[in-house]
């Protein structure tokens, strides 16, 4: 979904309503009135009341909450994730169930089956639990790496913006750079690893063509192809959202 | 400006940033922590920090503030406007100057020259002051009519939504219905009354064609024509924003 394309059951306006209705919960998270886990749960529960779609922002909320909790300071966010409790993990699992999001099956602790028992038994806080996620699930792995990709996304936004002077191009180029680097776990979950790797290669090609020709339409073509095949790199979009947040906190204006 | 079109100095992303950064001020307005006039000023002052464009939402803020102040109850909003003070008017004038918005010249009390002296001398509150605005300035006149157009816009949204089941179409049809009914004061201010009336007639035609043929593309054609001629019905857009707010408060979900 983007400003030009909708799915049958999920529209651009759902993203606007979800983002707008999330604001008061983000304020409580920023003031540390709620914990990270409870914050993710409150975000899903509150934003669902504003629209009639299913999951809109679960992955973005999972990434944004520790960053907002720590005023955009990734080191602080990393410490906060390590200092979280198993109750935070239970809240995130409840949020996940409520959001009906899709995610890759982990070998061991699967988000899909009744992982709560394991979380409680082993007192798995967010850091422990996300460590068990499959490597390709780079959203979960941000909790374990200290939000490295989000931080690199922020740097990319600044450099692409200084290069193009165009906020939308900077965002698309950052998005495509991630797509060219990482097989998207949402594609893996829905279409399998082969399709995810094919998309990665297509994004690499598009970036190379752009760097040689400055022809931005190459991305519209790739976008059109992905849409026509029902391929949705949603996790790369979540990573891009978190990168934008970090850039705005650091004073990015346009 | 819309999701597909930007001006050189004003982009779609400026509207997103302005809307997002307005949220905390709207919370204070909704809790009546600030008065209506001060609320309009705080909205302009706060949102300007989030982007590098000039005026984005002055007209929308002028309409939304009394409605948010009164939880979307237009009668309460009307009473609040009548109970406002001349200080509210001074705050709105300060907000207007800061926002560099464009508005029609009023015969008597012009927003452009130093109207402050008159406001203080005659103790003109918002209701008194907006009464002096020219009839065509339907944004100002909403303060005097008790937000009649905003209310009718809300009703139109509900009926067009039940007719089309499409949130975007309901909004476009409401927008076009206003455009077919009212010469837009922003067009009058920039291009003169003749052009504004011509646009009104074009919108009427487009609506009639749509009602006969259900061909929604007729509005894209009109949109393209207005853009090519640099015609911007901004006040009708502000009216549509306020109508959307009233509909959401009344439970509109999609």
């Amino acid at each position: 979904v983007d400003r030009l394309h909708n799915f049958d059951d999920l529209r651009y306006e759902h993203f606007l309503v979800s983002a707008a209705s999330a604001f008061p919960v983000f304020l409580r998270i920023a003031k540390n009135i709620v914990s990270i886990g409870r914050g993710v749960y409150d975000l899903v529960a509150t934003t669902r009341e504003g629209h009639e779609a299913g999951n809109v922002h679960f992955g973005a909320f999972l990434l944004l909450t520790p960053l907002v909790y720590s005023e955009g300071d990734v080191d602080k966010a990393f410490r906060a994730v390590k200092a979280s409790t198993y109750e935070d993990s239970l809240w995130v699992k409840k949020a996940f169930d409520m959001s009906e999001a899709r995610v890759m099956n982990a070998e061991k602790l699967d988000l899909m089956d009744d992982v709560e028992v394991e979380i409680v038994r082993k007192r798995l806080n967010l850091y422990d639990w996300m460590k068990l996620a499959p490597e390709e699930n780079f959203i979960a792995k941000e909790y374990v790496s200290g939000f490295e990709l989000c931080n690199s996304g922020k740097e990319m936004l600044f450099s692409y913006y200084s290069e193009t002077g165009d906020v939308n191009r900077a965002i698309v180029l950052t998005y495509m750079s991630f797509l060219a680097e990482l097989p998207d776990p949402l594609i893996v979950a829905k279409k399998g690893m082969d399709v995810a790797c094919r998309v990665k290669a297509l994004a690499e090609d598009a970036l190379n063509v752009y760097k040689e020709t400055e022809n931005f339409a190459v991305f519209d073509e790739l976008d059109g192809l992905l849409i026509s095949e029902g391929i949705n790199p949603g996790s790369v979009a979540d990573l891009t959202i978190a990168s934008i947040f970090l850039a705005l906190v650091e004073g990015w204006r346009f």
Side-chain angles (χ1 to χ4, degrees), chain A residues 40 44 55-63 92 95-96 99 101 111 238:
Chain A
V40 174
V44 172
N55 173 46
V56 177
H57 276 129
F58 177 75
F61 289 157
L62 197 60
L63 274 182
V92 168
F96 171 75
S99 75
L111 266 175
D238 295 335

Side-chain angles (χ1 to χ4, degrees), chain A residues 77-85 88 125 127:
Chain A
F78 193 24
R79 288 196 298 275
V81 158
K82 283 200 253 185
S84 65
T85 70
D88 283 302
N125 73 10
Y127 178 79

Side-chain angles (χ1 to χ4, degrees), chain A residues 103-232:
Chain A
V103 83
M104 282 176 59
N105 299 354
E107 286 77 35
K108 282 218 199 71
L109 279 180
D110 196 314
L111 266 175
M112 311 296 252
D113 56 29
D114 50 9
V115 74
E116 288 84 346
V117 173
E118 286 292 297
I119 288 173
V120 175
R121 200 169 60 80
K122 295 181 179 166
R123 291 289 191 269
L124 297 175
N125 73 10
L126 290 169
Y127 178 79
D128 308 323
W129 183 23
M130 297 296 166
K131 236 183 350 187
L132 300 171
E135 264 327 296
E136 297 79 18
N137 184 344
F138 54 66
I139 301 285
K141 287 308 175 191
E142 283 294 89
Y143 275 56
V144 183
S145 74
F147 304 93
E148 275 174 9
L149 290 173
C150 294
N151 215 37
S152 72
K154 176 198 74 178
E155 303 301 344
M156 281 198 274
L157 279 169
F158 279 121
S159 83
Y160 280 130
Y161 185 67
S162 67
E163 193 185 293
T164 63
D166 183 307
V167 50
N168 189 52
R169 291 197 168 200
I171 291 171
V172 170
L173 286 165
T174 300
Y175 174 90
M176 287 293 173
S177 302
F178 276 136
L179 200 55
E181 194 192 315
L182 309 155
D184 189 298
L186 198 61
I187 300 177
V188 176
K190 290 186 184 174
K191 305 263 179 183
M193 183 55 85
D194 292 350
V195 173
C197 291
R198 189 179 132 239
V199 170
K200 179 175 173 296
L202 287 169
E204 260 173 276
D205 295 346
L207 267 174
N208 292 333
V209 167
Y210 170 72
K211 283 176 181 162
E212 276 154 37
T213 64
E214 299 225 347
N215 168 23
F216 208 76
V218 67
F219 299 121
D220 294 322
E221 285 149 32
L222 176 55
D223 196 36
L225 176 71
L226 298 183
I227 285 164
S228 67
E229 297 190 15
I231 294 174
N232 172 25

Side-chain angles (χ1 to χ4, degrees), chain A residues 1-3 5-6 10-20 50-51 53 56-57:
Chain A
V1 172
D2 57 43
R3 55 172 106 178
H5 304 99
N6 297 316
L10 185 60
R11 302 181 56 113
Y12 182 66
E13 288 85 356
H14 290 137
F15 284 79
L16 295 178
V17 170
S18 177
H51 58 76
V56 177
H57 276 129

